[in-house]
């Protein structure tokens, strides 16, 4: 499984679209290498996770062929993850000679009304399924299990995703606070071994309650500890943190220094991990 992180910022981006804080000013001076765009990832060039407004730029920058994407899964409907209008660029009159015509879409229940408003040229060539927590769906080589995220659960139908290909398991853990007990129980009861997991670390060193909608280093560490106790991760697991806010100065070398104790990779735009 080849996982590429296309965007690694929270909703505002870094520097923030309209922000003049000292961190955004600092990164403007450092230049494009340190910029972070809105969260998105792609697996094997076929399975796209989330669709922010930066999707078009991500495709260009990383030589991604949109017409070869087989499946798009949405974690939730917040604007930095759900710019579904981009899908209208597929199909008659917009996208021609596509390698993959019928696109699989896995969406949170509250996203359905928005998808239904897309033009028929788009809708007619999509297989739309609602993501139901703990119910695995199979698209091509991938078994995908939505798990409830602590991100306004119940109100906004947010999910994180466990993605299995062959004997490899990858957990995409954005956006979420500290996991619900039933999520830890799912991993434990099903003896899931995570080869790689990426976790929300939006707030870095800022103190965040375990009932919050995002995480920082202490919450991430508590998730690691509980998964390790339950046998779901070990020293070989590739651990990654992601989805950073400009409020905590997410310059790459700053985050790498601050997070050394977590023994994890700090994601950056364009980073590739193979498991
Ligand atoms: Zn987000
Ligand atoms: Zn800022
Ligand atoms: Zn969100």
């Amino acid at each position: 499984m080849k996982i590429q992180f296309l965007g690694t910022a929270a909703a505002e981006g870094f520097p923030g679209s309209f922000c003049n804080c000292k961190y955004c000013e600092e990164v403007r001076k450092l230049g494009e290498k340190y910029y972070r765009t809105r969260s998105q990832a792609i697996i094997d060039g076929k399975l796209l996770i989330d669709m922010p407004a930066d999707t078009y730029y991500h495709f260009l920058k990383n030589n991604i062929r949109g017409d070869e994407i087989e499946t798009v899964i949405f974690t939730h409907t917040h604007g930095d993850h759900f710019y579904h209008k981009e899908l209208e660029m597929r199909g008659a009159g917009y996208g021609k000679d596509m390698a993959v015509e019928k696109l699989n879409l896995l969406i949170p229940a509250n996203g359905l009304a928005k998808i239904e408003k897309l033009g028929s040229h788009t809708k007619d060539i999509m297989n739309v399924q609602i993501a139901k927590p703990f119910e695995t769906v199979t698209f091509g080589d991938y078994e995908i299990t939505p798990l409830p995220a602590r991100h306004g659960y119940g109100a906004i139908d947010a999910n994180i995703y466990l993605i299995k290909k062959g004997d490899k398991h990858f957990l995409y853990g954005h956006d979420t606070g500290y996991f619900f007990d039933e999520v830890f129980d799912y991993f434990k009861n099903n003896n899931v071994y995570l080869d790689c997991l990426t976790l929300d670390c939006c707030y870095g060193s800022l103190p965040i309650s375990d009932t919050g909608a995002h995480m920082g280093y202490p919450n991430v560490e508590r998730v690691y500890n509980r998964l390790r106790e339950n046998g779901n991760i070990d020293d070989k697991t590739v651990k990654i943190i992601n989805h950073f806010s400009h409020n905590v100065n997410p310059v790459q070398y700053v985050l790498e220094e601050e997070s050394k104790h977590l023994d994890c990779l700090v994601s950056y735009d364009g980073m590739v991990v193979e498991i």
Side-chain angles (χ1 to χ4, degrees):
M1 218 190 292
K2 178 182 167 190
I3 304 151
Q4 184 169 26
F5 294 82
L6 306 176
T8 58
E12 317 87 325
F14 183 55
S17 313
F18 296 94
C19 189
N20 189 29
C21 80
K22 63 179 179 179
Y23 298 139
C24 289
E25 271 309 279
E26 183 186 336
V27 79
R28 283 188 185 102
K29 289 191 186 102
L30 284 169
E32 190 180 356
K33 182 182 170 195
Y34 293 95
Y35 292 174
R36 295 181 188 276
T37 55
R38 273 61 71 92
S39 290
Q40 187 175 43
I42 192 164
I43 297 176
D44 301 327
K46 294 181 190 168
L47 172 57
L48 188 67
I49 308 175
D50 282 335
M51 196 169 254
D54 302 325
T55 298
Y56 174 67
Y57 169 69
H58 290 166
F59 285 7
L60 291 180
K61 189 164 186 200
N62 298 283
N63 295 318
I64 290 166
R65 302 268 326 205
D67 73 301
E68 293 177 358
I69 292 169
E70 297 172 355
T71 301
V72 181
I73 61 178
F74 287 98
T75 55
H76 63 303
T77 56
H78 282 164
D80 55 323
H81 299 254
F82 201 91
Y83 180 64
H84 63 297
K85 298 288 280 181
E86 191 65 40
L87 291 168
E88 291 200 312
M89 299 305 109
R90 283 188 100 250
Y94 296 94
K96 298 175 185 174
D97 302 326
M98 296 185 295
V100 174
E101 188 169 353
K102 194 109 183 167
L103 182 72
N104 300 310
L105 220 61
L106 189 61
I107 60 169
N110 68 341
L112 188 58
K114 290 179 180 172
I115 295 294
E116 282 179 343
K117 283 190 187 140
L118 293 172
S120 61
H121 74 281
T122 301
K123 279 194 299 181
D124 292 350
I125 51 169
M126 291 196 305
N127 161 34
V128 181
Q129 294 200 30
I130 302 295
K132 296 182 185 138
F134 306 107
E135 287 189 21
T136 302
V137 292
T138 301
F139 292 128
D141 297 334
Y142 307 94
E143 291 171 40
I144 303 165
T145 308
L147 301 165
R150 192 190 294 273
H151 196 60
Y153 181 50
I156 63 159
D157 301 319
N159 292 302
I160 56 176
Y161 285 107
L162 176 65
I163 299 167
K164 179 172 184 276
K165 180 189 178 193
D167 61 352
K168 299 289 184 187
H169 289 84
F170 167 58
L171 178 68
Y172 192 77
H174 315 280
D175 299 5
T176 185
Y178 184 78
F179 292 176
F180 289 116
D181 284 344
E182 56 261 46
V183 172
F184 285 113
D185 290 346
Y186 179 88
F187 291 131
K188 187 177 179 186
N189 296 338
N190 290 284
N191 295 315
V192 174
Y193 174 73
L194 296 170
D195 298 278
C196 179
L197 81 162
T198 172
L199 290 182
D200 188 299
C201 197
C202 199
Y203 294 130
S205 54
L206 292 180
I208 303 297
S209 154
D210 276 346
T211 57
H214 288 284
M215 293 194 278
Y217 303 132
N219 318 80
V220 166
E221 188 167 23
R222 285 194 283 277
V223 172
Y224 287 166
N225 289 342
R226 194 152 159 196
L227 289 173
R228 192 180 285 270
E229 276 166 29
N230 290 343
N232 304 120
I233 64 170
D234 63 17
D235 291 344
K236 291 194 196 109
T237 299
V238 180
K239 305 195 293 299
I240 299 166
I241 52 175
N242 190 357
H243 196 281
F244 304 111
S245 164
H246 67 127
N247 291 305
V248 294
N249 189 20
V251 172
Q252 186 71 12
Y253 53 79
V254 173
L255 296 185
E256 284 177 358
E257 187 61 36
E258 288 179 349
S259 65
K260 268 187 180 156
H261 62 292
L262 294 175
D263 187 29
C264 65
L265 297 174
V266 175
S267 64
Y268 56 86
D269 287 20
M271 184 174 91
V272 174
V273 170
E274 292 213 41
I275 55 170

